[in-house]
Amino acid sequence: MKAVEVKAFFFAIGDYSRFSILSQLMDKDMSVSEIVKATKIEQSNVSHHMQCLLNCGFVMVRKNGKLRVYSLNKGVRPMMNSITGYLKKYKNWITSCDIAKREYIMKVVK
Amino acid sequence: MKAVEVKAFFFAIGDYSRFSILSQLMDKDMSVSEIVKATKIEQSNVSHHMQCLLNCGFVMVRKNGKLRVYSLNKGVRPMMNSITGYLKKYKNWITSCDIAKREYIMKVVK
DNA sequence: ATAATATATTAATCGCCATTCATATATAAA
DNA sequence: TTTATATATGAATGGCGATTAATATATTAT
């Protein structure tokens, strides 16, 4: 497994905004404006994130009139499920850790 | 799933050095100096990473004389396997993406 | 004791990259 | 056409956090 693969993978999925977008897409395909509404991330920012997720193969897009509808790509769902499964099972360890309490992480959490 | 959990999770595992260390620990338990040798990361830096991984519950540690031997914690292995499985299967998408080719990612790859 | 080895801690720096702002493009409706 | 809506793109910047260097602590041996 090459470093560039690992780095690109976590670069794409490791950002909280992008992970949130992928989580939303677990439920249903969504247009940009739907994602904006669901995540409260501003439109321009969402577009940037979608280009990144597209580029790294996490999502695909189809046109529907004025809308661009994004959906999860193959293989993403089970991998996401494994991560969220781990998070749910071990969230106590995660949230009790000092790192998670560091100011620069907490302050971005609404 | 709370934002702080997701952020702490990816903060810990999303760094390439820490992911590499976890990968090494998949094979066998290791002391700090063994990790230093295996990953070529300098000792002080490894210690910092281990505190982070400890803190977030990814690893545990036991004393053995002068050595501190680190091992994977419960639940980490299957989650890591899912990620590496995804990476192996879809590495072509990942490595063909423009993001992965961006200079600031490439240049850290030896 | 002292030395040697192993690991942890503290503090400081600097470059990456998420976000924002401004603008461009695309599609549809009037 | 013109207008409105939806999305994308380009450029700029500010703060996070990985890394390093220096030092401290812990354990074992002599």
Side-chain angles (χ1 to χ4, degrees):
Chain A
M1 211 160 34
K2 288 179 185 170
V4 65
E5 297 164 17
V6 177
K7 288 180 185 179
F9 174 83
F10 281 115
F11 171 82
I13 204 177
D15 173 70
Y16 178 68
S17 295
R18 288 192 282 271
F19 183 82
S20 302
I21 291 170
L22 290 179
S23 295
Q24 293 290 335
L25 292 176
M26 295 281 280
D27 296 333
K28 56 166 182 165
D29 301 356
M30 295 172 92
S31 69
V32 171
S33 44
E34 284 179 305
I35 295 170
V36 168
K37 237 180 255 175
T39 61
K40 319 275 189 189
I41 303 170
E42 79 159 32
Q43 180 271 319
S44 163
N45 200 5
V46 168
S47 271
H48 284 299
H49 288 313
M50 298 323 291
Q51 298 320 305
C52 173
L53 291 172
L54 257 183
N55 238 332
C56 286
F58 286 93
V59 301
M60 54 195 305
V61 63
R62 64 177 185 273
K63 285 187 173 185
N64 180 11
K66 281 185 281 194
L67 306 178
R68 304 287 174 106
V69 179
Y70 287 89
S71 55
L72 291 185
N73 223 331
K74 209 175 151 193
V76 175
R77 186 177 302 276
M79 183 267 297
M80 286 288 288
N81 275 329
S82 176
I83 289 175
T84 55
Y86 178 87
L87 276 168
K88 278 176 191 164
K89 198 162 183 184
Y90 299 101
K91 65 179 172 188
N92 290 338
W93 286 357
I94 293 277
T95 52
S96 73
C97 85
D98 296 342
I99 301 288
K101 286 172 187 155
R102 279 157 76 169
E103 214 179 295
Y104 57 79
I105 291 191
M106 288 306 285
K107 74 178 175 192
V108 244
V109 181
K110 312 285 161 65
Chain B
M1 212 158 36
K2 288 178 186 171
V4 65
E5 297 163 17
V6 177
K7 287 180 186 180
F9 174 83
F10 281 114
F11 170 80
I13 204 177
D15 174 70
Y16 179 68
S17 295
R18 287 193 281 271
F19 184 81
S20 302
I21 291 170
L22 290 179
S23 295
Q24 292 290 335
L25 291 177
M26 295 280 280
D27 295 334
K28 57 166 182 162
D29 301 357
M30 295 172 93
S31 69
V32 171
S33 43
E34 283 178 307
I35 296 171
V36 167
K37 235 180 258 174
T39 60
K40 319 274 187 189
I41 303 170
E42 79 161 29
Q43 180 271 318
S44 162
N45 199 5
V46 168
S47 272
H48 284 299
H49 288 315
M50 299 324 290
Q51 298 320 305
C52 174
L53 292 172
L54 257 184
N55 238 333
C56 286
F58 286 94
V59 301
M60 54 196 303
V61 63
R62 64 177 185 273
K63 285 187 173 184
N64 181 9
K66 282 186 278 193
L67 307 178
R68 304 289 173 107
V69 179
Y70 288 89
S71 55
L72 290 184
N73 223 330
K74 212 177 150 191
V76 175
R77 186 178 300 275
M79 181 267 296
M80 287 286 290
N81 275 329
S82 177
I83 290 175
T84 54
Y86 178 87
L87 275 169
K88 279 175 190 165
K89 197 162 184 184
Y90 299 102
K91 65 178 172 188
N92 290 337
W93 286 356
I94 292 277
T95 51
S96 73
C97 84
D98 296 343
I99 301 287
K101 285 172 188 154
R102 280 156 75 170
E103 215 178 293
Y104 59 79
I105 290 191
M106 287 305 285
K107 75 177 173 193
V108 243
V109 181
K110 311 287 160 63

